[in-house]
Short mmCIF file of all heavy atoms in Angstrom, two decimals:
data_model
loop_
_atom_site.label_atom_id
_atom_site.label_comp_id
_atom_site.label_asym_id
_atom_site.label_seq_id
_atom_site.Cartn_x
_atom_site.Cartn_y
_atom_site.Cartn_z
N VAL J 1011 57.93 66.39 3.64
CA VAL J 1011 58.04 67.44 2.63
C VAL J 1011 56.64 67.87 2.18
O VAL J 1011 56.36 69.07 2.06
CB VAL J 1011 58.89 66.98 1.42
CG1 VAL J 1011 58.73 67.91 0.23
CG2 VAL J 1011 60.35 66.88 1.82
N LEU J 1012 55.76 66.91 1.94
CA LEU J 1012 54.42 67.25 1.47
C LEU J 1012 53.66 68.05 2.52
O LEU J 1012 52.93 69.00 2.20
CB LEU J 1012 53.65 65.99 1.08
CG LEU J 1012 54.24 65.21 -0.10
CD1 LEU J 1012 53.41 63.97 -0.39
CD2 LEU J 1012 54.37 66.06 -1.34
N GLU J 1013 53.82 67.72 3.79
CA GLU J 1013 53.19 68.48 4.87
C GLU J 1013 53.77 69.89 4.93
O GLU J 1013 53.05 70.87 5.12
CB GLU J 1013 53.37 67.75 6.20
CG GLU J 1013 52.48 68.29 7.30
CD GLU J 1013 50.99 68.25 6.97
OE1 GLU J 1013 50.51 67.29 6.35
OE2 GLU J 1013 50.30 69.23 7.34
N GLN J 1014 55.09 70.01 4.75
CA GLN J 1014 55.74 71.33 4.75
C GLN J 1014 55.23 72.18 3.58
O GLN J 1014 55.04 73.39 3.73
CB GLN J 1014 57.26 71.18 4.67
CG GLN J 1014 57.90 70.78 5.98
CD GLN J 1014 57.64 71.82 7.05
OE1 GLN J 1014 57.84 73.01 6.85
NE2 GLN J 1014 57.16 71.36 8.19
N ILE J 1015 55.02 71.56 2.44
CA ILE J 1015 54.50 72.29 1.27
C ILE J 1015 53.17 72.92 1.63
O ILE J 1015 52.94 74.11 1.39
CB ILE J 1015 54.39 71.36 0.04
CG1 ILE J 1015 55.77 71.03 -0.51
CG2 ILE J 1015 53.49 71.97 -1.03
CD1 ILE J 1015 55.78 69.96 -1.59
N LYS J 1016 52.26 72.14 2.22
CA LYS J 1016 50.95 72.67 2.58
C LYS J 1016 51.07 73.81 3.60
O LYS J 1016 50.40 74.84 3.47
CB LYS J 1016 50.05 71.56 3.13
CG LYS J 1016 49.60 70.58 2.05
CD LYS J 1016 48.52 69.66 2.52
CE LYS J 1016 49.07 68.55 3.38
NZ LYS J 1016 48.07 67.54 3.72
N LYS J 1017 51.94 73.65 4.57
CA LYS J 1017 52.11 74.70 5.59
C LYS J 1017 52.68 75.96 4.98
O LYS J 1017 52.25 77.07 5.32
CB LYS J 1017 53.01 74.19 6.71
CG LYS J 1017 52.33 73.19 7.62
CD LYS J 1017 53.27 72.71 8.71
CE LYS J 1017 52.57 71.68 9.58
NZ LYS J 1017 53.47 71.11 10.58
N GLN J 1018 53.66 75.83 4.09
CA GLN J 1018 54.27 77.00 3.48
C GLN J 1018 53.28 77.72 2.56
O GLN J 1018 53.21 78.95 2.55
CB GLN J 1018 55.53 76.62 2.69
CG GLN J 1018 56.67 76.11 3.55
CD GLN J 1018 57.15 77.15 4.56
OE1 GLN J 1018 57.25 78.31 4.24
NE2 GLN J 1018 57.45 76.71 5.77
N ILE J 1019 52.50 76.97 1.79
CA ILE J 1019 51.50 77.58 0.92
C ILE J 1019 50.46 78.33 1.75
O ILE J 1019 50.01 79.42 1.39
CB ILE J 1019 50.84 76.52 0.00
CG1 ILE J 1019 51.83 76.02 -1.04
CG2 ILE J 1019 49.60 77.10 -0.68
CD1 ILE J 1019 51.32 74.85 -1.86
N SER J 1020 50.09 77.75 2.88
CA SER J 1020 49.06 78.37 3.72
C SER J 1020 49.48 79.73 4.25
O SER J 1020 48.64 80.55 4.61
CB SER J 1020 48.70 77.45 4.89
OG SER J 1020 49.74 77.44 5.85
N LYS J 1021 50.77 80.01 4.30
CA LYS J 1021 51.27 81.29 4.80
C LYS J 1021 51.16 82.41 3.78
O LYS J 1021 51.31 83.59 4.13
CB LYS J 1021 52.72 81.15 5.25
CG LYS J 1021 52.87 80.26 6.48
CD LYS J 1021 54.33 80.12 6.86
CE LYS J 1021 54.48 79.17 8.04
NZ LYS J 1021 55.88 79.01 8.42
N LEU J 1022 50.92 82.07 2.52
CA LEU J 1022 50.81 83.09 1.48
C LEU J 1022 49.47 83.82 1.61
O LEU J 1022 48.41 83.20 1.72
CB LEU J 1022 50.93 82.47 0.09
CG LEU J 1022 52.28 81.83 -0.24
CD1 LEU J 1022 52.22 81.10 -1.57
CD2 LEU J 1022 53.39 82.86 -0.23
N VAL J 1023 49.52 85.13 1.60
CA VAL J 1023 48.34 85.97 1.82
C VAL J 1023 47.25 85.72 0.79
O VAL J 1023 46.06 85.72 1.12
CB VAL J 1023 48.74 87.47 1.82
CG1 VAL J 1023 47.53 88.38 1.90
CG2 VAL J 1023 49.72 87.76 2.94
N ASP J 1024 47.63 85.48 -0.46
CA ASP J 1024 46.66 85.30 -1.54
C ASP J 1024 45.88 83.99 -1.45
O ASP J 1024 44.84 83.85 -2.07
CB ASP J 1024 47.37 85.32 -2.90
CG ASP J 1024 48.04 86.65 -3.19
OD1 ASP J 1024 47.38 87.68 -3.00
OD2 ASP J 1024 49.21 86.65 -3.59
N VAL J 1025 46.38 83.01 -0.70
CA VAL J 1025 45.77 81.68 -0.65
C VAL J 1025 44.60 81.69 0.33
O VAL J 1025 44.77 81.98 1.51
CB VAL J 1025 46.80 80.60 -0.26
CG1 VAL J 1025 46.13 79.24 -0.14
CG2 VAL J 1025 47.92 80.55 -1.30
N LYS J 1026 43.41 81.37 -0.18
CA LYS J 1026 42.20 81.37 0.64
C LYS J 1026 41.78 79.97 1.06
O LYS J 1026 41.11 79.80 2.06
CB LYS J 1026 41.04 82.04 -0.12
CG LYS J 1026 41.33 83.47 -0.49
CD LYS J 1026 41.66 84.28 0.75
CE LYS J 1026 42.14 85.67 0.42
NZ LYS J 1026 42.86 86.29 1.51
N GLU J 1027 42.16 78.97 0.26
CA GLU J 1027 41.70 77.62 0.52
C GLU J 1027 42.70 76.64 -0.07
O GLU J 1027 43.20 76.87 -1.17
CB GLU J 1027 40.34 77.47 -0.16
CG GLU J 1027 39.47 76.37 0.30
CD GLU J 1027 38.10 76.47 -0.37
OE1 GLU J 1027 37.96 75.95 -1.49
OE2 GLU J 1027 37.19 77.10 0.21
N ILE J 1028 42.96 75.56 0.66
CA ILE J 1028 43.80 74.48 0.15
C ILE J 1028 43.01 73.19 0.33
O ILE J 1028 42.60 72.86 1.44
CB ILE J 1028 45.13 74.35 0.91
CG1 ILE J 1028 45.94 75.65 0.82
CG2 ILE J 1028 45.94 73.16 0.37
CD1 ILE J 1028 47.20 75.64 1.67
N ILE J 1029 42.79 72.49 -0.76
CA ILE J 1029 42.08 71.21 -0.70
C ILE J 1029 43.02 70.13 -1.22
O ILE J 1029 43.57 70.25 -2.31
CB ILE J 1029 40.80 71.22 -1.56
CG1 ILE J 1029 39.88 72.37 -1.13
CG2 ILE J 1029 40.07 69.89 -1.45
CD1 ILE J 1029 38.70 72.59 -2.05
N THR J 1030 43.22 69.09 -0.42
CA THR J 1030 43.98 67.93 -0.87
C THR J 1030 43.02 67.05 -1.66
O THR J 1030 42.00 66.60 -1.14
CB THR J 1030 44.56 67.15 0.33
OG1 THR J 1030 45.36 68.05 1.11
CG2 THR J 1030 45.39 65.97 -0.13
N MET J 1031 43.33 66.84 -2.93
CA MET J 1031 42.43 66.10 -3.82
C MET J 1031 42.79 64.61 -3.80
O MET J 1031 43.89 64.24 -4.19
CB MET J 1031 42.56 66.64 -5.24
CG MET J 1031 42.35 68.15 -5.38
SD MET J 1031 40.79 68.75 -4.77
CE MET J 1031 39.74 68.37 -6.14
N SER J 1032 41.86 63.80 -3.33
CA SER J 1032 42.08 62.35 -3.34
C SER J 1032 41.45 61.77 -4.60
O SER J 1032 40.52 62.36 -5.17
CB SER J 1032 41.45 61.71 -2.10
OG SER J 1032 40.03 61.77 -2.18
N GLU J 1033 41.95 60.64 -5.04
CA GLU J 1033 41.43 60.00 -6.26
C GLU J 1033 39.95 59.65 -6.13
O GLU J 1033 39.20 59.74 -7.08
CB GLU J 1033 42.24 58.74 -6.59
CG GLU J 1033 43.58 59.04 -7.20
CD GLU J 1033 44.29 57.79 -7.66
OE1 GLU J 1033 43.62 56.88 -8.19
OE2 GLU J 1033 45.52 57.72 -7.48
N GLU J 1034 39.55 59.23 -4.92
CA GLU J 1034 38.17 58.79 -4.71
C GLU J 1034 37.18 59.95 -4.69
O GLU J 1034 36.04 59.80 -5.09
CB GLU J 1034 38.02 58.03 -3.38
CG GLU J 1034 38.99 56.88 -3.17
CD GLU J 1034 40.37 57.35 -2.71
OE1 GLU J 1034 40.47 58.28 -1.88
OE2 GLU J 1034 41.36 56.77 -3.19
N GLU J 1035 37.61 61.10 -4.21
CA GLU J 1035 36.68 62.21 -3.99
C GLU J 1035 36.86 63.37 -4.97
O GLU J 1035 36.33 64.46 -4.75
CB GLU J 1035 36.82 62.71 -2.55
CG GLU J 1035 36.42 61.66 -1.54
CD GLU J 1035 36.67 62.09 -0.11
OE1 GLU J 1035 37.70 62.75 0.13
OE2 GLU J 1035 35.84 61.77 0.75
N SER J 1036 37.61 63.15 -6.04
CA SER J 1036 37.82 64.22 -7.00
C SER J 1036 37.95 63.67 -8.41
O SER J 1036 38.14 62.48 -8.61
CB SER J 1036 39.07 65.02 -6.63
OG SER J 1036 40.22 64.22 -6.73
N VAL J 1037 37.83 64.58 -9.36
CA VAL J 1037 38.05 64.26 -10.76
C VAL J 1037 39.27 65.06 -11.20
O VAL J 1037 39.29 66.28 -11.11
CB VAL J 1037 36.83 64.64 -11.63
CG1 VAL J 1037 37.12 64.40 -13.11
CG2 VAL J 1037 35.59 63.87 -11.19
N CYS J 1038 40.31 64.34 -11.60
CA CYS J 1038 41.57 64.95 -12.06
C CYS J 1038 41.75 64.61 -13.53
O CYS J 1038 41.67 63.44 -13.91
CB CYS J 1038 42.76 64.41 -11.26
SG CYS J 1038 42.70 64.77 -9.50
N ARG J 1039 42.00 65.63 -14.34
CA ARG J 1039 42.16 65.42 -15.78
C ARG J 1039 43.32 66.26 -16.31
O ARG J 1039 43.69 67.27 -15.74
CB ARG J 1039 40.89 65.81 -16.54
CG ARG J 1039 39.68 64.95 -16.24
CD ARG J 1039 39.87 63.53 -16.77
NE ARG J 1039 38.69 62.73 -16.58
CZ ARG J 1039 38.47 61.93 -15.56
NH1 ARG J 1039 39.36 61.83 -14.59
NH2 ARG J 1039 37.38 61.21 -15.48
N GLU J 1040 43.81 65.81 -17.45
CA GLU J 1040 44.86 66.51 -18.16
C GLU J 1040 44.52 66.45 -19.65
O GLU J 1040 43.94 65.48 -20.13
CB GLU J 1040 46.20 65.83 -17.89
CG GLU J 1040 47.38 66.50 -18.52
CD GLU J 1040 48.72 65.88 -18.12
OE1 GLU J 1040 48.73 64.79 -17.52
OE2 GLU J 1040 49.75 66.49 -18.45
N LEU J 1041 44.90 67.49 -20.38
CA LEU J 1041 44.69 67.55 -21.83
C LEU J 1041 46.05 67.40 -22.51
O LEU J 1041 47.04 67.97 -22.04
CB LEU J 1041 44.07 68.89 -22.22
CG LEU J 1041 44.02 69.21 -23.72
CD1 LEU J 1041 43.03 68.31 -24.44
CD2 LEU J 1041 43.66 70.67 -23.92
N MET J 1042 46.07 66.63 -23.59
CA MET J 1042 47.30 66.44 -24.35
C MET J 1042 46.99 66.59 -25.84
O MET J 1042 45.96 66.13 -26.32
CB MET J 1042 47.85 65.03 -24.10
CG MET J 1042 49.06 64.67 -24.95
SD MET J 1042 49.79 63.07 -24.55
CE MET J 1042 48.47 61.94 -24.88
N LEU J 1043 47.90 67.26 -26.54
CA LEU J 1043 47.90 67.28 -28.00
C LEU J 1043 49.15 66.55 -28.44
O LEU J 1043 50.24 66.80 -27.91
CB LEU J 1043 47.93 68.71 -28.54
CG LEU J 1043 46.71 69.58 -28.30
CD1 LEU J 1043 46.98 71.01 -28.76
CD2 LEU J 1043 45.49 69.02 -29.00
N VAL J 1044 49.01 65.63 -29.39
CA VAL J 1044 50.17 64.89 -29.87
C VAL J 1044 50.11 64.79 -31.40
O VAL J 1044 49.06 64.48 -31.97
CB VAL J 1044 50.29 63.49 -29.21
CG1 VAL J 1044 49.08 62.63 -29.49
CG2 VAL J 1044 51.55 62.77 -29.63
N LYS J 1045 51.23 65.12 -32.05
CA LYS J 1045 51.33 65.03 -33.50
C LYS J 1045 52.23 63.84 -33.82
O LYS J 1045 53.37 63.77 -33.36
CB LYS J 1045 51.94 66.30 -34.08
CG LYS J 1045 51.96 66.31 -35.61
CD LYS J 1045 52.73 67.47 -36.19
CE LYS J 1045 52.18 68.80 -35.79
NZ LYS J 1045 52.95 69.93 -36.40
N VAL J 1046 51.70 62.92 -34.61
CA VAL J 1046 52.40 61.69 -34.94
C VAL J 1046 52.67 61.66 -36.44
O VAL J 1046 51.77 61.87 -37.25
CB VAL J 1046 51.56 60.45 -34.54
CG1 VAL J 1046 52.25 59.15 -34.91
CG2 VAL J 1046 51.24 60.48 -33.05
N GLY J 1047 53.93 61.41 -36.79
CA GLY J 1047 54.30 61.24 -38.19
C GLY J 1047 53.85 59.88 -38.66
O GLY J 1047 54.09 58.87 -37.98
N VAL J 1048 53.15 59.84 -39.81
CA VAL J 1048 52.62 58.58 -40.31
C VAL J 1048 52.76 58.49 -41.83
O VAL J 1048 52.74 59.50 -42.53
CB VAL J 1048 51.12 58.40 -39.95
CG1 VAL J 1048 50.92 58.17 -38.48
CG2 VAL J 1048 50.28 59.56 -40.43
N THR J 1049 52.87 57.25 -42.29
CA THR J 1049 52.79 56.97 -43.72
C THR J 1049 51.32 56.69 -44.02
O THR J 1049 50.50 56.55 -43.09
CB THR J 1049 53.63 55.74 -44.09
OG1 THR J 1049 53.09 54.60 -43.40
CG2 THR J 1049 55.10 55.93 -43.71
#
């Protein structure tokens, strides 16, 4: 399925580059906001 995803994305005209990001060779981050009820 993952290989098919890459092949299908590659067929889209707008896509110029696809890079598979590995943990060792990339920096992956996410931002979170969390509101906590406290006394």
